[in-house]
Amino acid sequence: MKSAVLFLLLCICMLAAKAQQSPAEFLGYQPGARFTPHYKVVDYFRKIAEGNAMMRFETYGQTYEGRPLVLAILSSPANIARLEAIRSGNLALLNGGSAHNQPVIIWLSYNVHGNEAVSTEAAMRTAHTLLTSRKALLDNAVIIIDPCLNPDGRDRYVNFYNSVHARIPDATPYAREHAEPWPGGRPNHYYFDLNRDWAWQSQTESRQRVIQYNRWMPQVHVDFHEQGVDAPYYFAPAAEPLHDAVTEWQRAFQTQIGKHNATYFDANGWLYFTKEQFDLFYPSYGDTYPTYNGAIGMTYEQGGSGRAGLAIVNREGDTLRLKDRLDHHFTTGIATVEASVAQAGKLVEEFGKFFRDARQQPSGDYKTYVVKSGGNTEKLMSLAETLRRNDIAFGFATGNSNGNGFNYFTGKTEAFSIEKGDLVVSAFQPRSTMVRVLFEPVSRLTDSVTYDITAWAMPYAYGLPAYAVKARLQPAVADSLEKTVAPPAVGATYAYLAAWNSTKDVKFLAALLNRNLRVRYAEAPFTIGGKVHPAGTLIITKSGNTSLESIPVIAARMGVSVTRVPTGFVDKGADFGSDKIRFIRKPKVGVLAGDGISSLGMGEIWHYFEEQIEYPLTVLPATALPGSSWKDLDVLILPDGRYDMLKDKALASRLKDWVSAGGRLIVMEDAVAQLAEGEWGYEMKKEKEEEKDEEDKAPKNPYTDLKPYANRERESVSGFIPGAIYKVHLDKTHPLAFGYPEYYYTLKQNDQLLAYFKDDGWNVGALKQDDYLTGFVGASARERLRDGLVFGVKEIGNGEIILMTDNPLFRSFWENGKLLFGNAVFMVGQ
């Protein structure tokens, strides 16, 4: 008996020893000596969780490339034993639950940018320290560690670096090991920046992570990053602009944590800065998203990033080593836990107050938002899904009533009708702050020097009519909108008709083309069976197709309604055999990728084809372009980027010949201005010469140019436009604008406009006078953004060049632009 007890105690001791295994003992090298592949990081966390009463290890999903997404949950044995009660008790705080006996929940997120790889190394050391020498901190805290938010990007970087670095790391800044190849490790598989995707959740990693985040709703969240190699360490408090929805308590506690971090950095003589550069405004960061959801959300930035490798000499001549970077992130992680545990009761209390105020007296001018489908239920459903993913409560009106509110599309306050099926969002709910930030029509910046886009209001992003109402409206609403796809009427079938006004319709067309079904579209509106069908309507005729039996099946599976018609003879408009009914040739589409090209811009296109419309896309390396034949391509896309290769006249001439022979070239953002420098028959809008002459003649203050050096940052924003919303006037008769009303709302991130085409081209999307709506635009940039073209189509021989100075696929959250891009690929030039 005694021997059995001794054996049991020995086993327990062995398990405890295994659970407390240090990273160095498990990995076989000291943290900071090399970069650890993701699978080994996961194995380490799984190992220390085995038999450990202070830790739970969870896999919550996987990346596009199949790598696991994991969480480590650390607390005292007593807290781990009642973990589910703690979690549910914390969520109850959102709806008035008691803060009594609730530990503070702290979430530490590492490595959202894959090549900011030191933070995952720090995560292992932080977890081990909390489980051993600092385990007393766990008595009144639950600490959630996500050791790597972006495993695909991390391994892209680690595999590169581990394959090229010298045996003794070469700290020379221009050594090969400090030159990451395109696209770099920063983004995920589809080259998205996951730190801009918290609210939109366009990527699988974000969607799965935010589900877990909303299951826990921590009081403190830290996002660990890296910045340039020459920068010292940054920690909270954040820089202006801070959205005015950020509470005084959130601001004050950021400062408390910052001061506590500073005590360690001061003691070690480490350089740091606060209150600069990293603001709290754009809602989809790893610091703002938690902040708008009641937490103390913070970004910590260590100098280094993908250039730093294991060691690099900075501009001051000091060698920055991976171990130094690890020490800094480890220190702020532990210091943040210390400061939070010391104020645990206050943090939980203020967290409860944040949601009590949200439910009872929400901030902001508007208390209700009403969004209409505008004949486009698919877009409304897409918006509803985004709200669901963010745990925002909403409903659909069940009857008719009246309201008075700000009309997003006219910019005026006016009376309107709430109609059955309208989406209604009340600000009187736990997620009130997030509702306000996502829907407020006008962005309020306390500072014009900001880190990201400054406008994103959902009605503009989705292109849906909407009203912001100052009163608290309580119309009868249903939890869901009954959207059933009715089977087409039984009878003779000459053709099926399908609408064309949403991304779902583009996906439906892609599915038909993938099955080699023949599809046409109407160039102009027509009436058949007493119903008007707009331009762009898809027509799938019996002629040319061996069978139409699969059409309603495919449509039902994709949630698309189709109409069966027994004849091609229309009541009004062109009959189905007319040349105004255009045949859609199945296009073979290519996109350029590689050095000089924006990985983000290319990734948005890649994701659009593979994940959203499921249509094949050929990715061409830009370096192969000069030696490639594009004869089998119908559409070639040039994403945002630098195309110095097209300065080669022979290559440019070949490309132009390809377009002239019937190719479609889609040119986006900066590529538009670069091609304008060549002989493509279009030009960018310039300042009017007469205005310049008048300016030169006007008497000039001789002291205008005497500007204070201290104001240099402010002066620089005059030509700055980080992201503002403009109204674009559309020629809806052109295929590029099919499915839209006479306007489109664009997110402008540059001051580029095309000059209006005079001949051989179509002015499809234009700014007229000042069509600015919301967001920051510098004075000189705003003056330039008048009377020019945002989207145009230039005809060259038998082909077209489609010019987009703005990106309609931006971060995949600008839902209203996706149909425009689909038009460019499938409709133009048919």
Side-chain angles (χ1 to χ4, degrees):
M1 180 67 181
K2 185 183 291 186
S3 61
V5 171
L6 288 173
F7 178 74
L8 181 60
L9 288 172
L10 180 62
C11 289
I12 292 171
C13 290
M14 290 175 64
L15 282 171
K18 284 171 66 180
Q20 295 175 5
Q21 193 173 21
S22 71
E25 290 168 333
F26 178 82
L27 299 171
Y29 52 85
Q30 288 295 327
R34 66 179 70 169
F35 288 107
T36 307
H38 180 257
Y39 79 91
K40 282 192 176 181
V41 176
V42 174
D43 286 349
Y44 175 69
F45 277 94
R46 184 180 285 115
K47 174 63 71 175
I48 63 174
E50 290 177 359
N52 193 335
M54 293 187 293
M55 179 178 171
R56 283 201 187 164
F57 175 84
E58 296 180 357
T59 299
Y60 66 86
Q62 65 178 25
T63 68
Y64 286 112
E65 295 177 15
R67 294 180 177 87
L69 298 164
V70 303
L71 292 178
I73 304 171
L74 286 59
S75 195
S76 68
N79 286 336
I80 291 292
R82 65 182 190 99
L83 198 59
E84 182 56 27
I86 290 173
R87 188 189 70 80
S88 58
N90 188 67
L91 288 184
L93 293 172
L94 278 65
N95 290 292
S98 171
H100 179 67
N101 205 28
Q102 279 294 130
V104 63
I105 298 176
I106 304 163
W107 188 303
L108 306 178
S109 288
Y110 297 89
N111 220 161
V112 69
H113 293 144
N115 60 3
E116 297 174 9
V118 67
S119 65
T120 290
E121 310 293 336
M124 292 187 284
R125 181 177 168 192
T126 301
H128 176 256
T129 300
L130 289 169
L131 291 171
T132 54
S133 61
R134 303 306 305 277
K135 62 184 178 184
L137 291 170
L138 303 179
D139 290 344
N140 200 25
V142 173
I143 299 171
I144 301 171
I145 293 177
D146 189 332
C148 187
L149 279 66
N150 183 6
D152 292 350
R154 176 183 173 82
D155 270 3
R156 189 184 310 124
Y157 173 74
V158 170
N159 290 337
F160 151 72
Y161 188 81
N162 286 347
S163 70
V164 302
H165 76 78
R167 183 174 62 83
I168 297 174
D170 190 341
T172 309
Y174 50 80
R176 178 177 66 160
E177 61 194 75
H178 303 301
E180 237 185 312
W182 192 94
R186 178 183 175 92
N188 75 337
H189 171 78
Y190 282 111
Y191 308 158
F192 273 68
D193 185 333
L194 295 180
N195 191 42
R196 270 80 175 165
D197 195 44
W198 278 75
W200 321 132
Q201 298 164 49
S202 72
Q203 302 300 288
T204 189
E205 296 91 345
S206 304
R207 286 195 294 273
Q208 295 171 100
R209 180 181 67 254
V210 174
I211 287 171
Q212 298 305 314
Y213 186 93
N214 287 329
R215 287 184 69 245
W216 280 99
M217 292 295 287
Q219 281 79 46
V220 177
H221 181 268
V222 182
D223 203 16
F224 290 87
H225 288 260
E226 292 185 74
Q227 52 189 323
V229 296
D230 298 317
Y233 200 95
Y234 164 83
F235 48 74
E240 292 287 350
L242 272 69
H243 197 289
D244 62 11
V246 179
T247 69
E248 288 303 317
W249 161 250
Q250 288 173 316
R251 294 167 185 250
F253 196 71
Q254 275 210 353
T255 300
Q256 284 189 45
I257 287 183
K259 288 180 176 179
H260 190 61
N261 286 338
T263 62
Y264 284 96
F265 277 63
D266 291 344
N268 285 286
W270 298 335
L271 290 175
Y272 59 92
F273 68 100
T274 67
K275 303 181 290 293
E276 295 180 66
Q277 191 173 352
F278 301 103
D279 58 71
L280 286 176
F281 195 70
Y282 171 70
S284 208
Y285 287 140
D287 55 5
T288 50
Y289 187 86
T291 297
Y292 297 145
N293 281 289
I296 310 299
M298 295 170 292
T299 287
Y300 292 171
E301 296 268 356
Q302 163 63 46
S305 201
R307 276 196 66 213
L310 291 177
I312 192 169
V313 175
N314 66 19
R315 67 184 174 197
E316 295 183 359
D318 295 327
T319 300
L320 176 65
R321 302 184 188 281
L322 180 61
K323 183 184 181 304
D324 304 327
R325 294 150 61 197
L326 192 159
D327 287 345
H328 300 162
H329 266 339
F330 165 76
T331 299
T332 54
I334 296 295
T336 297
V337 172
E338 288 176 344
S340 301
V341 168
Q343 291 283 333
K346 181 67 171 173
L347 278 163
V348 175
E349 177 189 328
E350 288 290 340
F351 186 75
K353 181 178 183 298
F354 178 94
F355 290 103
R356 182 170 64 250
D357 290 345
R359 296 189 317 273
Q360 297 175 2
Q361 46 186 13
S363 66
D365 294 335
Y366 300 106
K367 308 306 178 187
T368 311
Y369 301 90
V370 179
V371 187
K372 296 174 170 292
S373 69
N376 203 320
T377 306
E378 285 76 14
K379 283 184 183 175
L380 193 67
M381 291 299 96
S382 181
L383 172 59
E385 181 57 29
T386 297
L387 299 181
R388 284 191 191 97
R389 285 176 178 164
N390 289 288
D391 278 4
I392 291 171
F394 62 91
F396 296 96
T398 59
N400 296 338
S401 57
N402 297 319
N404 190 278
F406 176 87
N407 184 331
Y408 285 79
F409 285 9
T410 66
K412 299 175 181 178
T413 298
E414 56 195 45
F416 70 98
S417 297
I418 302 174
E419 299 166 309
K420 183 178 180 181
D422 288 351
L423 188 149
V424 180
V425 186
S426 171
F428 290 85
Q429 62 166 297
R431 308 285 178 153
S432 173
T433 301
M434 201 68 195
V435 170
R436 175 190 170 186
V437 172
L438 293 181
F439 279 91
E440 61 187 352
V442 178
S443 306
R444 296 178 180 174
L445 283 93
T446 56
D447 196 309
S448 55
V449 180
T450 183
Y451 198 62
D452 211 292
I453 66 171
T454 57
W456 48 79
M458 293 291 93
Y460 298 128
Y462 283 80
L464 292 169
Y467 296 85
V469 182
K470 292 186 175 181
R472 180 179 186 177
L473 300 182
Q474 293 181 299
V477 296
D479 292 337
S480 61
L481 183 64
E482 291 298 325
K483 172 72 167 65
T484 57
V485 178
V490 177
T493 306
Y494 182 87
Y496 284 103
L497 311 180
W500 183 260
N501 62 10
S502 73
T503 311
K504 187 178 286 187
D505 301 326
V506 182
K507 186 176 180 178
F508 176 60
L509 172 62
L512 299 180
L513 296 178
N514 285 337
R515 290 163 174 79
N516 293 316
L517 289 160
R518 298 192 171 207
V519 187
R520 292 169 169 79
Y521 74 77
E523 186 181 82
F526 65 92
T527 304
I528 189 169
K531 182 180 178 181
V532 178
H533 296 268
T537 296
L538 301 180
I539 304 170
I540 309 102
T541 61
K542 183 184 295 184
S543 174
N545 291 303
T546 55
S547 171
L548 297 183
E549 291 180 3
S550 64
I551 303 302
V553 177
I554 298 169
R557 186 167 65 247
M558 303 184 75
V560 172
S561 296
V562 292
T563 301
R564 184 198 308 267
V565 291
T567 178
F569 187 94
V570 304
D571 305 332
K572 185 177 180 181
D575 295 327
F576 293 172
S578 166
D579 63 2
K580 292 182 174 60
I581 304 298
R582 300 302 183 100
F583 175 68
I584 301 176
R585 297 183 301 276
K586 180 182 178 181
K588 184 171 176 57
V589 185
V591 63
L592 287 187
D595 288 345
I597 294 170
S598 164
S599 60
L600 299 174
M602 180 270 165
E604 287 156 359
I605 295 164
W606 185 18
H607 185 264
Y608 176 81
F609 279 93
E610 287 201 352
E611 296 291 325
Q612 296 177 55
I613 67 168
E614 299 177 6
Y615 190 82
L617 175 71
T618 298
V619 179
L620 291 78
T623 52
L625 191 65
S628 297
S629 171
W630 323 300
K631 290 183 180 178
D632 61 337
L633 280 182
D634 300 294
V635 178
L636 179 61
I637 305 167
L638 305 189
D640 184 31
R642 291 294 310 173
Y643 292 89
D644 293 337
M645 68 186 79
L646 292 179
K647 292 178 182 177
D648 182 317
K649 290 188 177 180
L651 178 58
S653 179
R654 282 183 56 214
L655 188 58
K656 195 178 298 182
D657 288 346
W658 172 80
V659 174
S660 186
R664 270 172 281 157
L665 187 65
I666 301 175
V667 187
M668 303 178 72
E669 299 183 272
D670 282 351
V672 174
Q674 289 172 64
L675 260 69
E677 296 170 4
E679 298 176 1
W680 287 86
Y682 71 89
E683 61 182 23
M684 305 305 293
K685 180 180 180 292
K686 300 179 177 65
E687 292 181 56
K688 293 180 181 177
E689 289 301 321
E690 57 268 28
E691 289 178 2
K692 200 166 176 24
D693 291 343
E694 290 299 319
E695 201 174 281
D696 292 340
K697 292 176 188 175
K700 188 177 180 182
N701 182 340
Y703 307 115
T704 299
D705 295 330
L706 301 181
K707 299 171 183 176
Y709 179 74
N711 290 350
R712 64 193 183 281
E713 193 173 23
R714 297 275 165 256
E715 294 288 344
S716 70
V717 302
S718 175
F720 188 43
I721 175 169
I725 298 172
Y726 275 75
K727 182 177 183 178
V728 177
H729 301 268
L730 292 180
D731 173 6
K732 60 179 292 187
T733 67
H734 192 280
L736 185 59
F738 281 172
Y740 287 91
E742 290 80 8
Y743 47 80
Y744 168 80
Y745 296 93
T746 191
L747 185 69
K748 283 213 67 68
Q749 295 179 274
N750 57 59
D751 62 358
Q752 294 182 0
L753 289 177
L754 288 156
Y756 292 140
F757 296 141
K758 295 178 182 176
D759 49 36
D760 295 329
W762 302 102
N763 301 298
V764 183
L767 297 188
K768 298 178 181 177
Q769 295 299 318
D770 186 357
D771 281 318
Y772 163 83
L773 288 171
T774 182
F776 177 77
V777 186
S780 61
R782 186 163 175 176
E783 191 58 35
R784 287 192 292 274
L785 288 171
R786 297 168 179 267
D787 296 319
L789 200 60
V790 178
F791 305 116
V793 178
K794 182 75 175 174
E795 295 178 347
I796 300 177
N798 292 321
E800 293 83 18
I801 176 169
I802 301 154
L803 302 160
M804 298 180 164
T805 63
D806 293 344
N807 179 6
L809 301 180
F810 181 70
R811 293 182 187 166
S812 197
F813 89 89
W814 204 258
E815 185 66 30
N816 198 34
K818 294 175 183 178
L819 179 67
L820 190 79
F821 192 80
N823 284 337
V825 173
F826 295 106
M827 295 292 187
V828 174
Q830 297 286 6

